[in-house]
Amino acid sequence: MSLPYQGAGPAAFAGLSRFRGEFYSCLTARADALFELADAVLCADGPVRSLVELSLVGEHRRGHGGLYAAVARGGVDADRLRRALAEVPLPRTADGRLVLAVDVTCWLRPDAHTSPERILCHTYGRGKDQHIPVPGWPYSIVCALESGRSSWTAPLDALRLEPGDDTAIVTARQLRELVQRIISTGQWQNGDPDILVVADAGYDAPRLAYLLGDLPVQVLARMRSDRVLRRATPARQPHTMGRPPRHGGEFVFGQPGTWGTPDTATVTDTRLYGTATARSWDRLHPKLTHRSSWAATDGTLPIVEGTVIRLEIDHLPSGAIPKPVWLWWSGTDAGPADVDRLWQAYLRRFDIEHTFRLFKQILGWTCPKIRTPEAADRWTWLILAAYTQLRLARPLAADLRRPWEKPAPPERLTPTRVRRDFRHIRPKTTCPAGAPKPSSPGPGRPPGRKNTRPTPRYDVHTASKTDSAKPKTKKSTTPRPRRTG
């Protein structure tokens, strides 16, 4: 495992200073205020609860008016900042492979009626067995994962999904541009293992693998337990009449009688889950139809073969009854070592949830009541740059633990513990922001005059009227397996 905290000391200070200088160069308007705002996020005492309270942090030398003006009218060169994030040393697995996790997290804005481009976002935990849609701004975030017991990730890109976007196409374009940046910065070279992209069941894995087929990328994603895939076409017998079939027999996830003998089977003892049993079946593919994301495909639909892995564990740390996990990998001819490597890489995907929780609960990503989506994008890039500075400061931070917390070695410090000591690290690094100039507030609206230009209000983007006008059918009590891709 190549960890970013190797080479501490002057080299670590130099790397952190280099990124801070490049981050300042990415700020094209109100750079000083935005740069000090990111430092205030890192040096604040405790979690960030509101945007205005950051103006009281000592590292932010400007008033609350300049803070709001920087977020509302500042400028961030997102393309240059993306490249700066890709140039930072990235974590790798034991075989030198880069593992990227992609997922969508939502900035919920249910009461922001004056904010445009809001979409109904699926939420969890707001009712028993209920997925209540809440208006907000969904963001697709890509992070590089570490191996081993760690909650650290390396955020590399963030993209807000706009109304009407096709998630598969947008994610594929986002990953394509990221992989090209990784290659151009020298993070991946010819001869290195293919980059592994890990996703959850919300993504169409065969579609993603098809769109990224010309890149050194492999896709690993979870599939729903009601899917139906097809086997490879059997060899055609001599003197057989008729058109040759394109698909073999069915492989129904919910019917063990259709599975047959697995190609590989492994048993591993784990610390958290007990005995983990993994079985794999090679060269399975979905039977695609000209619907959903494949509707625009001209001609014959492709056959996207892959390996299906079924993972079973004894128990969960929470005590809940575990369910089998179905994984689909875009590669074929997987051996036992490949199967173990793949399901362990998928379990590391949940580290991105720790990053989202840190963004929202500690760094205050979703706390500001920002009106425009452009300002939300600007604030999002500040949060990603702040987290990257925490990652670069890992070997430099002291363990300022609370009396009830256990001591931790330097390589085991969590992002929250590194943030506690960032205030002492910051003066030893590059601080290019200039001192504020004296100014006086503007006159504002004269007293007693009403606002003659009210802010426009926007509706939440929902499905098109043609879709909503379709007659609703009664939901069947015996759902059938999904037989399409």
Side-chain angles (χ1 to χ4, degrees):
M1 181 68 197
S2 177
L3 294 174
Y5 48 77
Q6 291 180 349
F13 274 111
L16 178 57
S17 298
R18 190 182 309 110
F19 177 80
R20 286 170 62 84
E22 183 64 20
F23 169 54
Y24 182 80
S25 301
C26 297
L27 306 177
T28 57
R30 300 183 182 266
D32 295 337
L34 289 174
F35 187 86
E36 290 189 353
L37 179 58
D39 280 353
V41 172
L42 294 171
C43 300
D45 295 329
V48 177
R49 299 301 183 189
S50 65
L51 190 62
V52 68
E53 290 182 355
L54 294 176
S55 63
L56 303 178
V57 180
E59 285 71 15
H60 190 275
R61 298 174 292 179
R62 289 157 175 82
H64 62 277
L67 182 147
Y68 278 107
V71 175
R73 297 185 294 275
V76 178
D77 189 347
D79 293 336
R80 184 171 180 177
L81 185 53
R82 285 186 173 100
R83 184 173 181 84
L85 294 175
E87 291 176 347
V88 175
L90 301 179
R92 300 175 183 268
T93 58
D95 59 349
R97 186 187 305 271
L98 286 173
V99 180
L100 305 179
V102 58
D103 202 355
V104 174
T105 183
C106 300
W107 184 340
L108 301 181
R109 298 301 309 276
D111 300 325
H113 303 290
T114 59
S115 296
E117 301 184 10
R118 290 183 302 158
I119 306 175
L120 289 179
C121 305
H122 291 282
T123 59
Y124 304 92
R126 295 176 177 264
K128 184 177 180 181
D129 298 332
Q130 295 180 357
H131 304 319
I132 303 176
V134 178
W137 291 316
Y139 278 85
S140 175
I141 298 181
V142 184
C143 298
L145 301 180
E146 294 187 2
S147 61
R149 298 172 54 191
S150 173
S151 61
W152 286 90
T153 63
L156 298 176
D157 193 21
L159 183 65
R160 178 173 50 84
L161 301 180
E162 300 180 359
D165 280 346
D166 187 334
T167 305
I169 296 178
V170 172
T171 304
R173 183 174 65 249
Q174 181 186 20
L175 289 171
R176 176 177 295 277
E177 295 174 355
L178 174 58
V179 171
Q180 292 174 351
R181 286 194 301 271
I182 290 175
I183 295 176
S184 63
T185 56
Q187 299 277 16
W188 187 92
Q189 300 177 358
N190 291 331
D192 292 346
D194 288 348
I195 300 173
L196 182 63
V197 176
V198 186
D200 204 7
Y203 292 87
D204 187 353
R207 175 72 171 171
L208 204 58
Y210 174 75
L211 295 175
L212 301 176
D214 59 330
L215 295 176
V217 168
Q218 297 177 352
V219 177
L220 174 67
R222 183 171 67 91
M223 279 191 166
R224 291 168 48 123
S225 59
D226 59 352
R227 293 294 299 269
V228 177
L229 300 184
R230 295 300 187 97
R231 301 182 185 275
T233 305
R236 187 176 177 85
Q237 300 296 328
H239 310 293
T240 302
M241 305 296 292
R243 186 178 61 181
R246 299 187 71 240
H247 311 283
E250 289 187 343
F251 185 96
V252 186
F253 286 6
Q255 298 179 10
T258 63
W259 298 350
T261 304
D263 295 313
T264 62
T266 62
V267 179
T268 307
D269 292 331
T270 63
R271 184 181 63 88
L272 294 177
Y273 309 106
T275 302
T277 304
R279 291 178 289 173
S280 70
W281 292 264
D282 195 22
R283 298 191 179 277
L284 298 177
H285 64 274
K287 183 180 179 180
L288 305 178
T289 59
H290 286 89
R291 295 191 305 177
S292 64
S293 58
W294 298 96
T297 305
D298 298 332
T300 305
L301 291 170
I303 293 180
V304 187
E305 291 186 332
T307 301
V308 171
I309 302 173
R310 188 176 192 268
L311 176 64
E312 297 177 279
I313 58 177
D314 287 343
H315 56 79
L316 292 172
S318 60
I321 300 176
K323 297 181 180 179
V325 176
W326 291 92
L327 304 176
W328 186 89
W329 178 50
S330 60
T332 56
D333 300 328
D338 296 326
V339 172
D340 286 341
R341 173 178 60 84
L342 290 170
W343 69 259
Q344 292 174 12
Y346 175 78
L347 294 183
R348 295 257 50 96
R349 190 207 70 85
F350 294 98
D351 293 343
I352 197 174
E353 305 295 340
H354 296 284
T355 301
F356 293 160
R357 182 178 180 181
L358 180 81
F359 283 178
K360 297 179 180 181
Q361 298 185 3
I362 303 299
L363 302 184
W365 175 44
T366 58
C367 290
K369 306 301 181 182
I370 295 177
R371 174 175 296 174
T372 63
E374 293 78 14
D377 296 343
R378 201 170 297 122
W379 174 248
T380 300
W381 284 115
L382 291 186
I383 295 299
L384 262 65
Y387 183 88
T388 303
Q389 295 181 56
L390 288 179
R391 194 166 64 87
L392 294 174
R394 289 173 69 180
L396 307 173
D399 186 13
L400 303 181
R401 62 185 182 90
R402 301 291 188 257
W404 55 85
E405 293 176 343
K406 296 181 180 180
E411 67 275 7
R412 297 290 300 163
L413 293 180
T414 62
T416 302
R417 290 201 185 187
V418 174
R419 180 172 175 262
R420 293 174 188 169
D421 195 42
F422 194 84
R423 173 170 287 173
H424 305 99
I425 300 173
R426 175 184 172 273
K428 303 176 183 178
T429 62
T430 300
C431 298
K437 299 178 181 179
S439 62
S440 57
R445 189 192 311 150
R449 179 178 296 182
K450 295 183 179 180
N451 183 13
T452 58
R453 301 175 59 184
T455 304
R457 302 169 75 88
Y458 302 90
D459 294 332
V460 181
H461 176 75
T462 56
S464 61
K465 294 183 179 180
T466 57
D467 296 337
S468 60
K470 295 179 180 179
K472 297 182 179 180
T473 59
K474 185 177 180 181
K475 186 176 181 181
S476 173
T477 56
T478 57
R480 295 178 298 174
R482 299 177 61 190
R483 298 182 178 275
T484 63

